[in-house]
């Protein structure tokens, strides 16, 4: 036991947990601890809005595979975390949100910046703790890191601000590691038998595969089974796109090849995925989910097994460990299995058909048709880059085009679907992978929510991310709904008077590029990567009815019914 202050215990525990960077906005509530950060070797990255701090911690955690932190002033600062922490929750990303709060003697009195922060974070964290005595600072800080790893999601460390002060005796050490292992032997055997019997086994590779660094193991499994590998929604990095068995992602704006391949499955191995319902909805009028196929679901989060689909086998396991043992078990039951040439040919055919169709959609020479621009952009992004994608029509169109070489490269908003995700996440990703080009792909609307102001952060903190702003002068994804379901009556869907984001970037000290011709895209991307500074590419693209992709939620709309005479003209029926 060593005598120290709770601030020292807190900071020393962060150091023991490997924290070298944290994101936030300076605040009096934790200033006594903040003062120690530089000496402790912790860089405090000062952002423009706490939402970006939490997205950055999330992006950093996804790229490094280790818990990362954000910290905020009590009340309004902590409240600004909420949307981003929820994104991390659904991404199973181990973010430790540090929320100093009102002093312990003032809780419940309605003092300055008072917020009951525990219920606020209850539904978006996997674990919460309020430090209830200063003596427990190190223990409960450490606990948050352990729980974030164990439950693979955000943890909240809530600290009454007066508990940073005093003298305590404590011991500093690192929390334990977590490994879910391969699952019970009989389940592995059952999975092997099920897959060995199948004529058309398909592997559905989820975020857990990327998080467990299980690509090689999935590759070996897929090759043994001659099984096409489908990525789950917005997890395009869970299998190398160049592999002959890679067929791309299902879900919104995904790959028709993936959808057609999984539709033919008589057994699906869903690895490292909760099978989120939005990610398996019909798309392009293809109702691809194979309802009669045997379904094996493997995830470290047992609470998610069988939630959205009826499963034949649910295994709580680490994707990598499970895949390793499954291959051994498959070899034991089906050792003579040969490469299935007919299936390989079918997969190649489906991929060729989809490529041809997508190319035909993207081959217009009309200046700055979004698909043509996005094709040029995704071709120009160097192999191995990390790409953070936002939510919007154009960032979703990217799902059809984005190809990755390895895990932890596609950092997306997933089914939390919040506009304003990408820039903060990209900043965190860049901190985690400083030698890798990192892109943030955002619509003009999303960029305005959280992007534009964070360029100041990237400049100030020298975080050279490359933002691409799809500047179509509209909240395109929502405008598409108004086109399809409200006879093009636009309310709040236009973004007129957009500034020149390239010029604005320059004014903020970043490098700015304006692209109005797809022929310039490759050069601009090359320049942006080369410049080594925060860069913004203002891509002025077409918008509107002719170019917008399918709406997100066709499934959820009903014809507009208006009974009152004053609204009758707005009725669709
Ligand atoms: C925080 C948040 N607010 C609102 C929405 C609803 N929404 C979904 S997509 C979208 C439009 C996005 O527009 P933009 O970023 O310009 O991209 P575009 O669709 O034009 O490509 C909106 C407003 C959301 N998903 N998240
Ligand atoms: Mg837009």
């Amino acid at each position: 036991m060593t005598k120290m202050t709770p601030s020292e215990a807190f900071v020393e525990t962060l150091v023991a947990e490997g924290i070298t960077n944290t994101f936030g906005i300076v605040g009096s509530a934790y200033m006594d601890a903040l003062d120690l950060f530089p000496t402790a070797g912790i860089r405090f990255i000062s952002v423009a809005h706490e939402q970006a701090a939490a997205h950055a911690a999330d992006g950093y955690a996804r790229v490094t595979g280790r818990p990362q932190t954000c910290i905020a002033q009590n009340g309004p600062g902590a409240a600004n975390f909420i949307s981003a922490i929820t994104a991390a929750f659904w991404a199973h990303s181990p973010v430790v949100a540090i929320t100093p709060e009102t002093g312990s003697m003032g809780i419940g009195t309605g003092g300055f910046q008072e917020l009951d922060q525990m219920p606020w974070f209850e539904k978006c964290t996997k674990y919460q703790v309020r430090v209830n005595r200063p003596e427990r600072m190190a223990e409960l800080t450490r606990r948050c890191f352990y729980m974030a790893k164990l439950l693979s999601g955000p943890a909240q460390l809530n600290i009454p601000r007066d508990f940073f002060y005093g003298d305590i005796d404590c011991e500093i050490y690192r929390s334990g590691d977590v490994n879910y292992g391969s699952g019970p032997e009989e389940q592995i055997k059952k999975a092997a038998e099920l897959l060995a019997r199948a004529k058309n086994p398909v592997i559905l590779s989820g975020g857990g595969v990327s998080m467990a660094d299980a690509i090689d193991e999935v590759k070996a499994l897929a090759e043994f089974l001659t099984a096409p590998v489908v990525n789950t929604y917005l997890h395009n990095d869970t299998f190398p796109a160049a592999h002959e068995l890679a067929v791309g992602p299902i879900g919104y704006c995904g790959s028709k090849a993936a959808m057609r391949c999984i539709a033919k499955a008589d057994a699906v191995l869903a690895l490292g995925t909760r099978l989120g319902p939005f990610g398996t909805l019909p798309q392009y009028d293809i109702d691809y989910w194979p309802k009669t196929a045997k379904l094996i679901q493997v995830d470290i989060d047992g609470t998610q097994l069988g939630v959205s689909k009826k499963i034949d086998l649910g295994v709580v396991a680490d994707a990598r460990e499970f895949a390793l043992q499954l291959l051994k078990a498959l070899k034991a039951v089906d050792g003579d299995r040969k490469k299935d040439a007919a299936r390989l040919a079918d997969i190649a055919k489906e991929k060729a058909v989809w490529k041809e169709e997508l190319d035909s959609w993207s081959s217009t020479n009309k200046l700055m048709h979004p698909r043509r621009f996005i094709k040029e952009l995704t071709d120009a992004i160097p192999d191995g880059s990390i790409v953070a994608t936002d939510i919007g029509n154009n960032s979703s169109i990217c799902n059809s085009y984005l190809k990755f070489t390895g895990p932890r490269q596609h950092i997306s908003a997933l089914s939390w679907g919040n506009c304003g995700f990408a820039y903060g996440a990209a900043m965190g990703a860049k901190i985690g992978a400083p030698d890798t080009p990192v892109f943030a792909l955002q619509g003009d609307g999303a960029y305005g929510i959280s992007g534009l102001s964070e360029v100041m952060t990237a400049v100030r903190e020298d975080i050279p991310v490359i933002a691409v702003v799809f500047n179509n002068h509209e909240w395109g994804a929502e405008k598409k709904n108004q086109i399809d379901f409200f006879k093009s009556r636009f309310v709040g869907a236009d973004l007129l008077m957009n500034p020149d984001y390239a010029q604005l970037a320059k004014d903020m000290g970043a490098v700015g590029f304006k692209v109005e011709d797809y022929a310039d895209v490759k050069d601009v991307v090359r320049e942006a990567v080369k410049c080594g500074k925060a860069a913004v590419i203002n891509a002025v693209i077409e918008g509107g009815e002719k170019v917008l992709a399918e709406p997100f939620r066709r499934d959820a709309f009903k014809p507009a019914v208006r009974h009152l005479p004053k609204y009758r003209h707005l009725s669709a029926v």
Side-chain angles (χ1 to χ4, degrees):
M1 292 285 199
T2 311
K3 181 177 171 183
M4 59 186 86
T5 68
S7 279
E8 288 171 320
F10 165 68
V11 172
E12 283 297 296
T13 306
L14 295 184
V15 171
E17 296 293 341
I19 294 301
T20 52
N21 295 278
T22 190
F23 305 86
I25 291 181
V26 62
S28 61
Y30 62 99
M31 202 164 274
D32 192 69
L34 179 68
D35 181 52
L36 305 176
F37 281 12
T39 310
I42 297 173
R43 177 179 169 198
F44 180 76
I45 296 167
S46 164
V47 298
H49 187 291
E50 287 87 354
Q51 179 181 342
H55 281 320
D58 178 7
Y60 189 19
R62 291 199 219 178
V63 162
T64 58
R66 287 182 277 111
Q68 301 297 347
T69 54
C70 49
I71 187 163
Q73 176 72 351
N74 57 295
N80 282 350
F81 275 166
I82 288 285
S83 182
I85 293 297
T86 313
F89 178 88
W90 289 112
H92 282 94
S93 185
V95 173
V96 177
I98 302 161
T99 59
E101 73 168 344
T102 300
S104 60
M105 292 302 287
I107 293 172
T109 61
F112 188 54
Q113 298 175 328
E114 191 182 351
L115 173 72
D116 195 354
Q117 292 173 180
M118 301 303 277
W120 264 62
F121 283 82
E122 188 186 338
K123 298 293 184 197
C124 62
T125 52
K126 298 271 184 179
Y127 175 76
Q128 305 177 271
V129 69
R130 172 182 266 149
V131 174
N132 64 334
R133 283 184 67 89
E135 291 85 346
R136 300 190 68 188
M137 185 70 92
E139 173 208 340
L140 296 176
T141 303
R142 183 168 59 244
R143 192 79 194 148
C144 279
F145 280 85
Y146 178 69
M147 295 305 273
K149 286 184 272 187
L150 180 74
L151 302 176
S152 200
Q156 181 198 9
L157 176 65
N158 199 64
I159 311 168
R161 58 187 293 166
D162 51 319
F163 288 180
F164 284 102
Y165 299 100
D167 294 330
I168 59 171
D169 289 309
C170 73
E171 193 185 351
I172 304 295
Y173 57 95
R174 192 177 169 278
S175 62
D177 288 327
V178 175
N179 187 333
Y180 276 84
S182 57
E185 212 176 323
E186 75 271 15
Q187 288 195 320
I188 297 164
K189 197 159 160 255
K190 191 172 169 200
E193 283 163 2
L194 233 148
L195 289 165
R197 266 200 307 272
K199 285 204 172 58
N200 281 316
V202 170
I203 297 175
L204 182 55
S205 190
V209 168
S210 179
M211 293 169 84
D213 284 320
I215 304 273
D216 285 347
E217 290 70 19
V218 173
K219 221 190 281 179
L221 257 187
E223 286 166 4
F224 181 83
L225 291 166
T226 321
V229 182
V230 172
N231 312 106
T232 55
Y233 174 58
L234 287 174
H235 283 297
N236 296 25
D237 59 351
T238 55
F239 199 67
H243 194 283
E244 64 178 345
L245 292 167
V247 291
I250 50 169
Y252 182 52
C253 289
S255 146
K256 286 193 184 179
M259 295 172 198
R260 290 184 184 126
C261 283
I262 201 168
K264 294 177 206 171
D266 58 350
V268 174
L269 172 62
L271 207 48
T273 170
R274 70 183 178 92
L275 293 171
F278 181 65
T280 54
L281 279 181
Q283 301 294 338
Y284 311 108
D285 295 326
I286 308 175
D287 191 0
Y288 54 83
W289 188 259
K291 294 179 189 67
T292 57
K294 297 282 182 205
L295 178 56
I296 305 163
Q297 186 182 14
V298 182
D299 202 89
I300 59 165
D301 185 350
T303 66
Q304 295 301 316
L305 297 180
V307 169
S308 59
K309 302 273 181 231
K310 177 173 171 280
I311 53 176
D312 296 279
L313 178 65
V315 188
V316 178
D318 173 85
R320 183 172 167 275
E321 305 277 340
F322 179 84
L324 264 174
Q325 297 309 318
L326 176 62
L327 184 58
K328 280 190 200 157
L330 269 167
K331 285 181 176 163
V333 291
D334 197 8
D336 300 329
R337 200 177 179 104
K338 304 266 176 316
K339 233 183 182 182
D340 186 334
R343 269 180 42 94
L344 272 177
D346 186 54
I347 292 164
K349 185 202 81 190
E350 292 296 8
K351 284 165 73 166
V353 169
W354 169 231
K355 183 177 182 312
E356 198 181 326
E357 186 174 10
L358 190 60
D359 282 349
S360 75
W361 294 352
S362 334
S363 65
T364 168
N365 285 342
K366 222 167 142 220
L367 280 189
M368 297 304 264
H369 184 285
R371 284 185 178 273
R372 178 67 195 259
F373 169 71
I374 287 167
K375 184 172 166 25
E376 298 290 339
L377 173 71
T378 48
D379 284 350
I381 289 176
D383 274 357
S385 296
I386 292 170
V387 182
T389 55
D390 217 287
I391 288 295
N393 201 274
N394 287 286
S395 42
S396 299
I397 287 175
C398 293
N399 300 345
S400 305
Y401 298 84
L402 278 172
K403 297 192 164 55
F404 294 97
T405 54
R408 304 185 186 283
Q409 293 176 5
H410 190 188
I411 312 295
S412 69
L414 299 171
S415 49
W416 176 238
N418 66 314
C419 293
F421 168 84
Y423 200 91
M427 287 198 297
K430 186 70 187 177
I431 295 290
D435 301 326
T436 306
V438 177
F439 292 79
L441 309 187
Q442 295 190 280
D444 44 356
Y447 184 65
I449 292 180
S450 166
L452 184 53
S453 52
E454 297 301 339
V455 174
M456 295 187 290
T457 305
V459 169
R460 223 166 21 222
E461 298 283 345
D462 190 18
I463 309 172
V465 296
I466 301 162
V468 179
V469 185
F470 302 118
N471 186 358
N472 58 0
H473 295 90
E474 63 195 13
W475 295 96
E478 297 299 352
K479 184 179 245 189
K480 176 65 174 159
N481 290 324
Q482 294 179 339
I483 291 167
D484 284 9
F485 303 106
F486 301 93
K487 294 203 172 132
S488 294
R489 295 189 298 273
F490 300 133
V491 184
D494 287 315
L495 286 167
L496 307 175
M497 316 284 287
N498 273 347
D500 177 358
Y501 299 112
Q503 185 55 50
L504 261 183
K506 289 179 196 162
D507 291 346
M508 289 190 277
V511 180
F513 302 92
K514 187 171 182 180
V515 181
E516 293 175 288
D517 183 338
Y518 62 83
D520 299 334
V521 176
K522 284 199 171 61
D523 288 344
V524 164
V525 169
R526 196 179 313 114
E527 285 286 303
V529 171
K530 210 173 72 189
C531 79
K533 289 182 166 180
V536 176
I537 300 173
N538 175 12
V540 186
I541 57 169
E542 264 184 85
E545 183 158 11
K546 290 203 188 91
V547 296
L548 287 166
E550 268 291 276
F552 271 87
R553 297 300 313 274
R554 189 177 283 294
D555 64 300
F557 273 99
K558 290 182 181 155
V561 176
R562 281 83 174 86
H563 294 302
L564 298 179
K566 69 187 274 200
Y567 300 124
R568 193 67 50 75
H569 65 291
L570 303 176
S571 188
V573 290

